[in-house]
Amino acid sequence: MTSPLPPSSAASVLDLAPVVPVVVVSDAADAAPLARALVAGGLPAIEVTLRTPAALDAIRAVAEEVPDAVVGAGTVITPEQVRACVAAGARFLVSPGWTDALLAAMRGSGVPFLPGVSTTSEVVALLERGVREMKFFPAQAAGGTAYLKSLAGPLPQARFCPTGGIGPANAPEYLSLPNVGCVGGSWMVPADAVAARDWSRIEELARSAAGLRDAGGTSR
């Protein structure tokens, strides 16, 4: 698969930054300044979730106006959404789960993708289909770091972006695991800061998040 990621970076979304902000945008006019604040704070990979009517316009705005951002689409659950997100400028796709039809659409999209898993059987099924990078969701509810540690032994070829219930307190523990490339979370884009358009606060929170891998003492 040809990667639309920046040539100066690693070829994987998992290696762009320790944290991928999971962003819900209600007003597409906020998308570009929000993305600029996150990039300035050291978080270039940004997942805009398809949870609002403004999501596709938000993806389009970031893709067109913030060249240093690597904008992706989250909560992708249908092949139609895959096509719409890529047409809007999404450079990676994230789903909470997967089916064969959704996986085929993501594989055919030409952009990197992270299908969601929460069980060992789902991980094995994706490995069987040649997919090694996945979203682990909902991370805390599905077993957290203990579960991921258990997967690392028998399935070391699988790498994860855990999302769901992760914040600054537990992110370092996730990031210290050998099979975790990055984590996803929304704590650096609090709803009140977005509503107030407090981009400097978001930049500061992003900068703190970008340093969390060091806080985890990872050996990778």
Side-chain angles (χ1 to χ4, degrees):
M1 176 191 319
T2 358
S3 172
L5 302 181
S8 58
S9 75
S12 169
V13 174
L14 297 185
D15 298 320
L16 287 173
V19 180
V20 175
V22 179
V23 178
V24 179
V25 180
S26 298
D27 184 345
D30 292 335
L34 173 59
R36 289 190 193 99
L38 292 170
V39 171
L43 301 181
I46 302 166
E47 176 188 333
V48 177
T49 67
L50 301 185
R51 299 180 191 177
T52 68
L56 287 175
D57 286 336
I59 291 169
R60 190 173 293 109
V62 176
E64 293 176 354
E65 300 175 38
V66 193
D68 291 334
V70 180
V71 64
T75 325
V76 177
I77 58 173
T78 69
E80 292 75 22
Q81 288 177 332
V82 168
R83 291 187 282 272
C85 290
V86 174
R91 295 165 70 183
F92 66 93
L93 304 168
V94 184
S95 67
W98 65 277
T99 65
D100 281 322
L102 179 58
L103 188 65
M106 291 193 294
R107 197 191 293 276
S109 69
V111 303
F113 55 91
L114 297 173
V117 296
S118 60
T119 69
T120 307
S121 294
E122 290 170 324
V123 176
V124 172
L126 283 178
L127 291 173
E128 186 179 81
R129 289 159 173 78
V131 178
R132 296 190 173 194
E133 297 186 343
M134 312 165 195
K135 170 178 177 171
F136 180 57
F137 176 83
Q140 281 291 96
T145 54
Y147 194 92
L148 288 169
K149 284 177 187 175
S150 299
L151 290 181
L155 302 171
Q157 63 272 55
R159 295 183 72 215
F160 301 96
C161 173
T163 305
I166 298 178
N170 60 359
E173 186 180 359
Y174 279 94
L175 291 167
S176 71
L177 300 178
N179 56 351
V180 169
C182 63
V183 299
S186 57
W187 72 89
M188 74 298 300
V189 284
D192 61 333
V194 176
R197 296 180 168 85
D198 190 347
W199 311 129
S200 59
R201 179 183 168 202
I202 288 171
E203 180 180 340
E204 181 182 347
L205 290 169
R207 187 168 290 109
S208 296
L212 286 176
R213 172 162 286 138
D214 296 334
T218 178
S219 58
R220 285 183 296 113

